[in-house]
Amino acid sequence: MSVRVVARIRPLLEKETDKDTIVRADGGENGQPHTIVKLPNPKNDSEDFSFAFNSVYDQSTSQEALFTAEVAPHLKALFQGYDVTLFAYGVTGTGKTHTMRGGLKLADRGVIPRLLSGVFRRGKKITRESGGETTVQVALSYYEIYNDKVFDLLEPPEKRTATGLPLRAEASGRTVVAGLSERACEDLKDFEKLYIEANQNRVTASTKLNAHSSRSHAILRVKIIQTTGDTVRESTASAIDLAGSEDNRRTDNGKERLVESAAINKSLFVLSQCIEAISRGDKRIPYRESKMTRILSLGQNNGITVMILNLAPMRSYHLDTLSSLNVSSRAKRIEVREIENEVVYKQVPKQVSSLTGAARRQPLQPLANAHNAHNVAAAGAKKEDTNKPVKAFAVYTDKASKPVTTALASKPAANSSQVRRSSAGKRPSDHEPAARPSKLARPTTTNTSKTMSTPKTKGSATVSAADIEAMVEKKVGEVLAARAAADRQPQSQAQPDLSEAVQKRLEALERKIDSDEWRDENQSEGLRLLLAARQSKEKGDDAAALRNYEMALPYFPGQAKLLGKIDRLRARLGLGARVSPVKRSVRKQRSRQVTVDEDTEYEDGEADVDEESFSPIVLKQEAKMRRPRTRVVAQPVFDAQESSKEGRLLLDIINSRDVKRIRTLVGIGAKKAQALVDYLDLMIAEDGGQVESLAQLRNVPGMGGRAFDRAYEGLMV
Ligand SMILES: Nc1ncnc2c1ncn2[C@@H]1O[C@H](COP(=O)(O)OP(=O)(O)OP(=O)(O)O)[C@@H](O)[C@H]1O
């Protein structure tokens, strides 16, 4: 069956200043559960967008009701040998942890404690009814993915290693965490003790948007082992509380939080890309690009998968809500085959025949929602035109309105049985940069939030409703333009098969980045993002390429080459100018007289990145910019260098991309040489393969300022 996707709208919290609720549950007349999420078109309040899900739970839904409807029915299957995966997805502060973990009071308990309670109860029942012949053991493992590293939550934090636990692919195709501890759990009390202790190990820290924000993805695995005589049946329930995406411009996040946030946003972005790739039927699903997606292996795991989309009802989350509705709607299209885990015989090594392995590994199904009532009509329609792209989600407006002029307006909805009443207000995409919309307009408990819901008072420095409207308008315009640009590309161009040579080259780079253990984590991360951007670009997916380049930017702050790529892509997609995270106030135009700080950078804000400066990049860069200036280098010196024989030799050596040759330069060791070559492969090669000038070379990470001077001067000796 396809992944079951349900939405839960949380109630307003007392402290929340934005009381303007715009998200509501609909559909499901005559006592049937709701199936539609409705919210206004951000560009036209009188018109509604609707998204269809398997079920929709409104603000009044209790923890008990949600569990009874969505989780309890799968307990039986779990004991029949099926694996069950439950995961909560949504923007920060929308209620994921509340849904999964809940509060301490009995009525507030979330899905996880209720699941365990159900497991123990059913286990006892089975033992009782079998007259003691069948015994049921429960074992737990609990871990988090923090900054793309896996940490065991059942072990004290002192035992953590810097790199975390490695992942391993099993013969069955499943990805597992190597070296994870597992604890036997006798009863609910046992579980609660373990769970509370483990949660204290979980990295949560206060952010401005959510005072108890989860900064990691938490994964609880409950293994159920049923033994009858000499047969053993194992199945696993996984409950996953994903960290929420957030916008750093709104959260006042400090250095550490920024890095965390980048990791969280990246993994969630990869998840949305995987969902999209599966629903499109792509051959390559980018699971490998984040540990969370490797572990989740959406669509590859057998069994039953339920995705709970958490939503906040307020207007201040409007664009974020649209974005997560888009992603979740696509997830409905992922098919998971329900395959029972085999019974194995005690003492006999478990047989995993290749046939079984192959059968267990899920072939990815592009359009697998024959089970999804909303898609039946579309599935039929699709047959007529197999070349047409699969429309990834259903959204229709509720009010007949004038057709809009965007290119999107004429596209038919493909997976909704609902009548599309208006072609207006097509959905924004979830994967363009603009589609993880800014929370600029999100008020929570902050002052800004007040200004959102209260009219602007005279003389105050607040944002007026019209300003906000304009911001939303602009953002939506960007999103629509990006989508329109993407849609304008002919299908053959949208997903071309990469040439074998390019594919091989990219795969080799991917393997290398993964295998270089010596490499700084942040450096690897930055390179991975560049690689992902490169892959997207090769495939003609400019929007995804842009997103990846933008995410790589904090790892290579101020890099002219990278900024150029971003600017070009933004222009191509019809998006506005880039908003630089680097404070514009410290950015000055380079003048004839360029001032160089003692050990490195140019003053124009285009700080370079060398191996040592990868972490903590963003703040370090600003700190560097504040340092006193001590040396002044005149432009004529640069001009002379450009035309000197040393300059030409330096370029020649760098352009050779030969690690051994580059290492001969003064001040460049093995690591730096390798990092340079990788960077050149990713950034320069696609533009013709050459660093054309010394000025360009000075903007290559690791080759700015002093590193450049040393290498250059070394050639003069
Ligand atoms: N259904 C609900 N009923 C009552 N309160 C709720 C509900 N859902 C969420 N809340 C409250 O909203 C706040 C934010 O919820 P929560 O921490 O679960 O969000 P989250 O999505 O897990 O955020 P993050 O991703 O930042 O961890 C909490 O105070 C929580 O108690």
Side-chain angles (χ1 to χ4, degrees):
M1 66 181 288
S2 42
V3 171
R4 183 170 169 85
V5 186
V6 302
R8 181 185 200 185
I9 307 166
R10 77 156 164 83
L12 274 183
L13 306 179
E14 248 171 57
K15 60 179 186 198
E16 268 161 350
T17 50
D18 176 8
K19 306 284 183 206
D20 185 7
T21 60
I22 53 163
V23 183
R24 61 190 196 284
D26 202 9
E29 278 82 22
N30 304 327
Q32 293 298 305
H34 295 300
T35 51
I36 307 272
V37 173
K38 280 195 172 179
L39 79 173
N41 174 350
K43 295 187 86 177
N44 177 4
D45 230 16
S46 63
E47 181 179 82
D48 274 342
F49 282 155
S50 298
F51 291 82
F53 292 99
N54 295 100
S55 268
V56 176
Y57 297 91
D58 65 16
Q59 304 193 14
S60 65
T61 308
S62 66
Q63 299 280 60
E64 165 78 27
L66 183 83
F67 177 81
T68 307
E70 294 302 335
V71 184
H74 303 307
L75 275 168
K76 188 171 171 199
L78 181 65
F79 278 84
Q80 283 169 343
Y82 295 97
D83 289 339
V84 175
T85 302
L86 314 162
F87 73 99
Y89 177 86
V91 177
T92 186
T94 50
K96 297 179 297 294
T97 305
H98 179 85
T99 296
M100 298 309 283
R101 197 197 304 179
L104 290 176
K105 279 197 270 170
L106 215 60
D108 289 343
R109 286 183 319 155
V111 160
I112 290 173
R114 285 170 199 272
L115 170 76
L116 266 294
S117 169
V119 162
F120 288 119
R121 247 199 333 269
R122 188 169 272 271
K124 278 191 193 131
K125 187 169 170 246
I126 288 173
T127 305
R128 198 174 53 242
E129 287 177 356
S130 67
E133 207 189 317
T134 301
T135 58
V136 178
Q137 290 161 289
V138 176
L140 292 186
S141 50
Y142 190 27
Y143 57 98
E144 68 177 344
I145 308 175
Y146 175 65
N147 285 348
D148 211 37
K149 289 175 207 149
V150 178
F151 298 110
D152 194 335
L153 286 168
L154 298 181
E155 292 288 352
E158 310 80 81
K159 279 198 167 182
R160 292 181 175 194
T161 59
T163 48
L165 297 170
L167 300 187
R168 187 162 43 76
E170 284 189 332
S172 64
R174 232 187 278 198
T175 299
V176 294
V177 180
L180 197 63
S181 65
E182 200 173 81
R183 304 277 171 84
C185 212
E186 294 278 312
D187 53 27
L188 198 58
K189 257 197 168 154
D190 231 10
F191 161 74
E192 275 167 1
K193 189 170 168 291
L194 263 180
Y195 190 54
I196 289 171
E197 263 174 35
N199 279 325
Q200 281 162 2
N201 295 336
R202 191 177 170 196
V203 182
T204 59
S206 174
T207 67
K208 198 167 149 190
L209 293 178
N210 181 11
H212 299 283
S213 187
S214 313
R215 314 295 304 169
S216 63
H217 308 299
I219 295 134
L220 176 76
R221 293 234 194 261
V222 184
K223 196 195 274 179
I224 291 147
I225 308 136
Q226 300 173 79
T227 313
T228 311
D230 56 2
T231 64
V232 180
R233 165 170 273 152
E234 254 185 44
S235 51
T236 306
S238 306
I240 303 170
D241 178 8
L242 295 179
S245 56
E246 58 191 44
D247 188 322
N248 288 316
R249 285 167 295 189
R250 292 277 304 133
T251 48
D252 281 358
N253 279 337
K255 175 181 73 182
E256 203 180 342
R257 300 283 92 87
L258 274 173
V259 174
E260 286 170 358
S261 196
I264 294 169
N265 288 344
K266 185 205 155 188
S267 57
L268 291 172
F269 174 63
V270 174
L271 176 63
S272 73
Q273 282 198 315
C274 290
I275 289 174
E276 188 159 327
I278 299 168
S279 72
R280 265 195 320 242
D282 286 4
K283 273 188 245 153
R284 185 181 181 276
I285 313 298
Y287 291 112
R288 285 176 56 81
E289 284 166 27
S290 104
K291 292 218 168 78
M292 184 264 279
T293 46
R294 279 176 74 185
I295 288 169
L296 194 56
S297 290
L298 211 54
Q300 294 206 310
N301 281 339
N302 304 318
I304 293 158
T305 302
V306 181
M307 172 179 188
I308 304 172
L309 166 67
N310 289 92
L311 300 169
M314 299 87 73
R315 187 177 293 277
S316 44
Y317 283 67
H318 205 155
L319 295 179
D320 286 320
T321 303
L322 271 176
S323 176
S324 43
L325 283 165
N326 286 348
V327 174
S328 317
S329 296
R330 286 181 184 145
K332 280 187 311 198
R333 307 167 78 72
I334 298 169
E335 177 146 307
V336 183
R337 255 169 55 204
E338 288 179 20
I339 296 179
E340 229 172 282
N341 288 325
E342 300 156 71
V343 167
V344 292
Y345 291 89
K346 268 205 248 172
Q347 278 133 26
V348 180
K350 193 172 173 179
Q351 300 283 313
V352 185
S353 70
S354 57
L355 182 68
T356 314
R360 286 168 60 91
R361 173 123 193 155
Q362 277 302 298
L364 298 171
Q365 308 282 336
L367 178 63
N369 33 15
H371 297 268
N372 186 338
H374 301 293
N375 299 321
V376 175
K382 193 176 177 288
K383 270 189 201 144
E384 290 163 25
D385 182 2
T386 45
N387 291 329
K388 274 221 164 126
V390 173
K391 203 71 193 166
F393 71 99
V395 53
Y396 57 90
T397 57
D398 285 7
K399 201 172 153 256
S401 65
K402 284 178 263 156
V404 293
T405 49
T406 68
L408 300 168
S410 59
K411 287 235 158 195
N415 69 341
S416 173
S417 60
Q418 309 287 339
V419 180
R420 188 182 176 80
R421 295 186 213 164
S422 163
S423 59
K426 284 288 294 181
R427 87 283 189 239
S429 149
D430 58 288
H431 71 293
E432 293 91 340
R436 242 250 349 110
S438 153
K439 288 178 193 160
L440 281 172
R442 168 199 283 196
T444 49
T445 55
T446 63
N447 290 339
T448 328
S449 63
K450 263 192 187 153
T451 68
M452 308 281 296
S453 49
T454 53
K456 188 176 175 179
T457 52
K458 206 176 171 202
S460 70
T462 57
V463 185
S464 71
D467 293 341
I468 292 156
E469 182 103 325
M471 278 194 278
V472 170
E473 182 87 0
K474 182 166 173 279
K475 191 54 94 178
V476 171
E478 285 180 8
V479 169
L480 292 176
R483 170 57 65 183
D487 283 359
R488 273 197 300 272
Q489 294 180 2
Q491 278 316 297
S492 56
Q493 235 178 301
Q495 285 298 312
D497 275 344
L498 301 190
S499 80
E500 212 172 308
V502 172
Q503 183 71 47
K504 268 192 184 153
R505 176 86 192 114
L506 293 177
E507 278 171 9
L509 274 168
E510 189 173 356
R511 273 195 303 276
K512 203 150 82 52
I513 293 170
D514 276 351
S515 65
D516 283 346
E517 279 170 9
W518 51 263
R519 206 193 285 275
D520 180 291
E521 269 290 319
N522 279 322
Q523 190 184 17
S524 298
E525 197 54 46
L527 288 171
R528 260 187 218 115
L529 285 163
L530 291 183
L531 177 68
R534 181 80 190 278
Q535 284 165 333
S536 306
K537 207 157 163 236
E538 293 288 348
K539 286 201 289 181
D541 188 348
D542 285 352
L546 173 60
R547 177 73 191 216
N548 279 304
Y549 280 134
E550 289 192 327
M551 286 195 295
L553 200 52
Y555 298 95
F556 306 102
Q559 280 305 303
K561 196 88 191 162
L562 186 50
L563 292 172
K565 281 178 195 301
I566 290 172
D567 288 344
R568 281 194 298 279
L569 279 171
R570 288 187 74 88
R572 198 179 311 163
L573 290 169
L575 298 174
R578 171 174 45 86
V579 181
S580 168
V582 179
K583 280 186 193 158
R584 290 289 178 193
S585 58
V586 296
R587 239 186 123 92
K588 290 183 193 156
Q589 287 303 313
R590 189 182 294 177
S591 60
R592 291 281 303 163
Q593 282 272 304
V594 181
T595 311
V596 177
D597 134 346
E598 190 163 49
D599 48 329
T600 47
E601 334 301 342
Y602 302 111
E603 216 226 331
D604 65 355
E606 291 186 352
D608 63 2
V609 180
D610 54 21
E611 277 172 72
E612 295 74 40
S613 69
F614 276 98
S615 172
I617 299 149
V618 178
L619 296 176
K620 189 170 174 185
Q621 182 192 4
E622 286 181 19
K624 277 179 175 178
M625 287 176 197
R626 287 194 296 270
R627 274 187 228 152
R629 307 162 202 163
T630 52
R631 193 152 65 93
V632 175
V633 179
Q635 182 67 29
V637 174
F638 286 155
D639 293 343
Q641 285 177 342
E642 282 288 356
S643 53
S644 67
K645 79 171 184 326
E646 289 80 13
R648 285 195 303 276
L649 180 59
L650 181 54
L651 281 180
D652 187 47
I653 294 173
I654 296 289
N655 280 326
S656 72
R657 285 191 237 151
D658 175 348
V659 174
K660 269 196 200 147
R661 253 190 107 191
I662 296 173
R663 278 188 64 184
T664 61
L665 294 169
V666 174
I668 299 193
K671 284 185 194 178
K672 197 171 228 172
Q674 187 59 63
L676 261 171
V677 172
D678 290 347
Y679 182 82
L680 296 179
D681 278 344
L682 285 166
M683 292 296 294
I684 309 284
E686 78 189 281
D687 292 344
Q690 299 287 302
V691 181
E692 275 143 25
S693 66
L694 294 184
Q696 203 184 68
L697 180 61
R698 286 190 200 95
N699 278 322
V700 169
M703 283 309 292
R706 192 155 158 222
F708 174 89
D709 286 348
R710 289 181 69 193
Y712 182 88
E713 281 156 24
L715 292 173
M716 293 172 81
V717 182

